[in-house]
């Protein structure tokens, strides 16, 4: 992985912004959105970005304006925020289990703006009952496990058989199959092309088996930023659902799907203490950066202070060690950190600050922050 010192951006001190704050370079964001739209077009796939990364109506609208077919959300409350703002094609890639969750998604189903991801007849049955009461079948996608071993039935016969049972339930409208190939993060970046082929094979094989039971399975959807550059046209897939590509983070760089220059989001922090020549204390700890770690076990990369690296974080403080003691940032200096995981950082924020280089452009609300239900 190239060293973050290869950043070529001029990071502003942005004195008008109170820290800690989340900074998004609007030009880098725009370039990321365009690049993914082009990748989807080249692979001849529909693009359905996962909004859990940015949770922003403004950014999701940019994605739609660049050709995205719809959006992916993870929680009923998150989907509801986007529905309130007029988004009318939302896929919730998380199973709604329990009456409270069904109550939450009921209005979105009634408005016919939601498709629901499930992997079990036991989840389909109560959904179908609601559909029958409303006299409208509930659109669902069936989740297939192609190697991540999280949710989803194992690819091939096991998934196809359960999906066929789901499809047969009156009140269910099975639209297709989907997977999240999040295990891509465990693969070496040089092998992600092989993984993309494997994922495609496993998901399309499942779709074909499902079709032999008489179900058309029109949508075949994969979802991970890491595989997007390797997906091929005419391979049987119809859709991709990348998320983190919008902002990038250390994990995406480690996975080979972004360079440091593609990292649109940084956490802006202020040096609040210099207890000794070697140590810099900033006002961003785990409450801001999140406890998520990079593969090398750090909270993020310090983008504008050469050689500085995290030694620890407590809730409110980040402790940096200076490799180059010749650089001695004074108290009050602004530090930009590329976090390990952008989505977790954004989740607890009320807003991001969009900048163009060193100029503050606007404050953008994180419309769906803390939508944990
Ligand atoms: C179901 C699902 N689809 C798509 C994505 C998007 O993946 P990424 O943000 O790595 O591009 C995720 C991310 O966790 C996911 O859980």
């Amino acid at each position: 992985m190239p060293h973050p010192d290869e950043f070529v951006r001029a990071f502003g001190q942005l004195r008008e912004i109170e820290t800690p704050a989340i900074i998004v370079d609007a030009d880098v964001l725009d370039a990321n959105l365009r690049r993914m739209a082009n990748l989807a077009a080249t692979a001849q796939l529909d693009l359905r970005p996962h909004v859990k990364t940015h949770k922003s109506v403004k950014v999701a609208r940019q994605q739609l304006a660049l050709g995205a077919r719809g959006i992916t959300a993870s929680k009923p409350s998150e989907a509801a925020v986007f529905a309130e703002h007029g988004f009318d094609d939302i896929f919730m890639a998380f199973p709604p289990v329990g009456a409270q969750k069904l109550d939450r998604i009921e209005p979105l189903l009634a408005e016919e703006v939601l498709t629901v991801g499930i992997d079990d007849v036991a989840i389909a049955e109560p959904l179908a009952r609601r559909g029958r009461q409303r006299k409208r079948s509930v659109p669902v996608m069936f989740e297939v496990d192609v190697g991540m071993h999280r949710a989803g039935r194992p690819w091939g016969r096991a998934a196809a058989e359960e999906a066929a049972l789901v499809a047969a339930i009156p009140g269910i409208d099975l639209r297709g199959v989907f997977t999240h190939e999040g295990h891509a993060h465990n693969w070496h970046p040089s092998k992600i092309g092989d993984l993309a082929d494997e994922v495609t094979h496993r998901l399309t094989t499942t779709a074909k088996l499902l079709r032999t039971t008489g179900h058309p399975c029109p949508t075949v959807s994969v979802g991970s930023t890491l595989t997007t550059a390797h997906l091929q046209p005419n391979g049987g897939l119809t859709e991709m659902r990348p998320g983190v590509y919008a902002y990038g983070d250390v994990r995406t760089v480690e996975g080979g799907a972004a360079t440091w220059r593609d990292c649109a989001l940084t956490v802006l922090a202020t040096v609040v203490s210099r207890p000794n020549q070697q140590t810099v204390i900033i006002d961003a700890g785990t409450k801001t950066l999140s406890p998520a770690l990079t593969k090398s076990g750090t909270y993020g990369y310090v983008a504008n202070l050469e050689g500085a690296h995290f030694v620890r974080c407590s809730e409110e403080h980040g402790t940096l060690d200076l490799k180059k003691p010749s650089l001695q940032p004074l108290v009050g200096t602004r530090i930009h950190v590329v976090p390990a995981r952008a989505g977790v950082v954004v989740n607890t924020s009320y807003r991001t600050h969009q900048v163009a280089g060193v100029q503050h452009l606007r404050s953008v609300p994180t419309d769906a922050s803390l939508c944990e239900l």
Side-chain angles (χ1 to χ4, degrees):
M1 187 171 71
H3 195 268
D5 293 347
E6 288 181 10
F7 262 121
V8 288
R9 203 175 311 153
F11 286 101
Q13 288 283 295
L14 301 167
R15 295 266 169 222
E16 64 277 37
I17 298 173
E18 195 173 355
T19 65
I22 300 177
I23 307 300
V24 172
D25 188 306
D27 295 333
V28 178
L29 167 64
D30 186 62
N32 290 346
L33 301 188
R34 285 177 195 280
R35 194 171 48 251
M36 190 57 75
N38 287 336
L39 282 176
T42 305
Q44 296 170 20
L45 298 177
D46 288 333
L47 178 59
R48 185 181 291 282
H50 207 312
V51 297
K52 71 178 193 163
T53 306
H54 53 72
K55 291 174 171 271
S56 157
V57 166
K58 178 175 165 48
V59 177
R61 286 198 178 128
Q62 273 177 272
Q63 290 171 316
L64 288 194
L66 288 167
R69 183 189 178 127
I71 59 170
T72 306
S74 40
K75 300 280 171 164
S77 56
E78 190 177 273
V81 168
F82 285 88
E84 275 163 30
H85 283 86
F87 289 75
D88 61 2
D89 185 353
I90 305 170
F91 169 49
M92 190 177 78
F94 201 94
V97 174
Q100 289 132 326
K101 292 286 183 273
L102 294 180
D103 290 345
R104 279 185 182 277
I105 63 170
E106 183 76 48
L108 307 187
L109 292 174
E111 288 167 32
E112 299 186 24
V113 298
L114 191 72
T115 302
V116 182
I118 62 170
D119 66 358
D120 203 306
V121 166
I123 304 171
E125 291 282 10
L127 262 178
R129 273 197 292 279
R130 302 265 178 144
R132 290 195 297 268
Q133 279 160 13
R134 242 184 302 100
K135 300 199 178 356
R136 279 252 183 247
S137 293
V138 177
V140 303
M141 294 277 289
F142 190 86
E143 183 161 11
V144 179
D145 174 17
V146 298
M148 187 185 181
H149 307 321
R150 195 175 67 177
R153 294 297 173 108
W155 69 280
R157 201 159 296 285
E161 283 173 1
E162 185 76 7
L165 293 177
V166 167
I169 301 172
I172 290 289
D173 172 13
L174 182 64
R175 298 271 170 94
V177 289
F178 80 102
T179 195
H180 169 51
E181 61 276 29
H183 55 305
H185 288 278
N186 304 329
W187 285 51
H188 191 272
S190 64
K191 298 282 181 216
I192 299 284
D194 296 340
L195 175 67
D197 291 346
E198 182 180 286
V199 167
T200 302
H201 168 72
R202 291 181 173 182
L203 194 61
T204 57
T205 299
T206 309
K208 279 179 202 152
L209 284 169
L210 180 55
R211 288 186 192 116
T212 63
T213 69
H215 190 277
C217 193
T219 304
V220 184
S221 174
V222 292
S224 163
T225 295
L226 262 46
T227 57
T228 46
H230 305 276
L231 301 173
Q232 305 296 328
N234 306 317
L237 302 177
T238 67
E239 181 179 91
M240 55 153 91
R241 308 181 321 277
V244 71
Y245 74 95
Y247 287 158
D249 53 19
V250 177
R251 202 159 168 257
T252 317
V253 176
E254 286 174 337
T259 67
W260 293 111
R261 292 173 204 201
D262 304 326
C263 292
L265 183 146
T266 53
V267 170
L268 181 70
T270 300
V271 176
V272 291
S273 177
R274 291 298 320 277
N276 57 57
Q277 288 261 306
Q278 194 65 28
T279 308
V280 175
I281 308 295
I282 58 174
D283 60 353
T286 52
K287 277 185 181 164
T288 307
L289 291 165
S290 93
L293 298 177
T294 67
K295 269 188 191 158
S296 53
T298 181
Y299 295 94
Y301 275 117
V302 181
N304 65 335
L305 185 60
E306 199 184 337
H309 60 276
F310 279 92
V311 285
R312 82 182 73 88
C313 268
S314 43
E315 288 186 26
E316 317 290 352
H317 300 73
T319 303
L320 309 179
D321 187 69
L322 289 178
K323 212 195 255 163
K324 283 202 174 174
S326 56
L327 294 174
Q328 289 289 334
L330 301 174
V331 165
T333 303
R334 298 302 184 87
I335 303 290
H336 287 259
V337 177
V338 181
R341 298 189 72 157
V344 196
V345 169
V346 169
N347 182 42
T348 51
S349 74
Y350 297 112
R351 71 188 74 82
T352 60
H353 296 275
Q354 291 198 351
V355 302
V358 297
Q359 192 195 346
H360 185 202
L361 295 178
R362 60 187 80 89
S363 166
V364 177
T366 307
D367 305 277
S369 74
L370 289 171
C371 281
E372 80 271 32
L373 296 175

